[in-house]
Amino acid sequence: ALALGIGANTAIFSLVNATLLVRLPVAEPEELVYVFSGSAGNVFSYPDYSEMRDRNGVCDGMIAWGGIAASLNSNDQTDLVNGAIVTGNFFEVLGVRAGLARLITPADDREPGAHPVAVISHRLWQSRFGGSPSVVGQQLLLNGQGFTVIGVAPQGFEGAEQGGTRDLYVPMMMQAVMRPPRAGYSGEMNPDLLKVRRNRWLGSIGRLKSGVTSEQAQAALAAIAKQQEEA
């Protein structure tokens, strides 16, 4: 792994060792870069992530996600499931293909509240829905709001972190329903976690462009992080 640091109080970036993700069904894991923020518990705000994604020039794409725990109700049964609220490019950048139907895309993640759709894990599909293809199109109640199942993640994919267990994926723009602010979490008392820079709650991964060197990556990411720190 290669660590790219720019200071103790700003951001720290490090390349993912391929062995960390080799067991996950992702494409070319050696190209993936975890983006860590050393000054904020290794997490980013959504505005900081968006700027890094759009301006870095060294990644073919960057994703972000936040953990969620959701009440799932269907067929008169309610369970608490762990999941992730993800950016629309999450599966595309990781190179993950659907196990059934389709996964979340950028078109599902453009306007707050507009697309209440969900992807479930292969494990949840088997254990809760009997592996039936009819789960696609089924309506679920998640935290009391209706969501439509659009697909199933591939077997073995349990999220972007090793050791995690994610059974549910919903678009980032559904934050108001799926990840409301939580008392006791610093910086999360503003209800709109997508707009306030101090609300830091997202993990991030980028996929390096072909031919990008560590020096180029360091220079590009450091410049943006410095501007974010000043902001």
Side-chain angles (χ1 to χ4, degrees):
L2 176 65
L4 307 175
I6 67 167
N9 295 319
T10 55
I12 299 172
F13 304 89
S14 59
L15 286 178
V16 171
N17 186 321
T19 59
L20 296 178
L21 296 174
V22 70
R23 294 184 180 180
L24 299 181
V26 300
E28 288 80 38
E30 69 277 4
E31 297 177 357
L32 296 177
V33 180
Y34 274 111
V35 186
F36 295 110
S37 176
S39 63
N42 296 336
V43 289
F44 288 84
S45 68
Y46 187 76
D48 282 351
Y49 154 75
S50 297
E51 290 177 0
M52 195 73 69
R53 175 198 63 201
D54 295 341
R55 297 175 53 198
N56 72 82
V58 295
C59 293
D60 280 328
M62 292 186 71
I63 65 172
W65 73 92
I68 58 174
S71 170
L72 183 156
N73 182 281
S74 68
N75 300 323
D76 297 322
Q77 179 181 342
T78 301
D79 297 299
L80 184 66
V81 297
N82 290 322
I85 183 168
V86 303
T87 50
N89 62 350
F90 181 83
F91 294 103
E92 178 184 1
V93 171
L94 290 178
V96 176
R97 297 184 178 182
L100 178 69
R102 72 174 183 90
L103 303 175
I104 292 168
T105 70
D108 299 312
D109 195 43
R110 291 176 178 166
E111 183 180 348
H115 295 279
V117 296
V119 169
I120 62 174
S121 70
H122 185 274
R123 177 179 50 247
L124 185 65
W125 180 43
Q126 295 293 321
S127 64
R128 179 68 186 272
F129 301 98
S132 172
S134 65
V135 71
V136 177
Q138 184 170 330
Q139 291 290 307
L140 308 177
L141 281 179
L142 299 177
N143 290 351
Q145 177 166 327
F147 279 71
T148 302
V149 177
I150 58 172
V152 177
Q155 187 172 5
F157 183 78
E158 298 181 347
E161 319 102 310
Q162 280 285 13
T165 302
R166 307 292 189 188
D167 284 321
L168 178 72
Y169 303 88
V170 296
M172 185 66 63
M173 291 297 112
M174 297 305 299
Q175 171 266 319
V177 174
M178 300 306 299
R179 179 66 188 258
R182 298 177 293 179
Y185 282 74
S186 177
E188 286 201 11
M189 296 314 296
N190 187 292
D192 194 341
L193 299 184
L194 302 181
K195 292 183 178 179
V196 181
R197 191 178 297 273
R198 67 178 177 271
N199 286 340
R200 301 179 183 273
W201 59 289
L202 296 172
S204 182
I205 285 179
R207 183 176 290 278
L208 289 181
K209 291 183 176 180
S210 177
V212 169
T213 67
S214 60
E215 292 80 11
Q216 291 169 330
Q218 178 172 350
L221 297 174
I224 299 172
K226 184 176 185 296
Q227 294 167 1
Q228 290 179 342
E229 183 186 22
E230 292 170 351

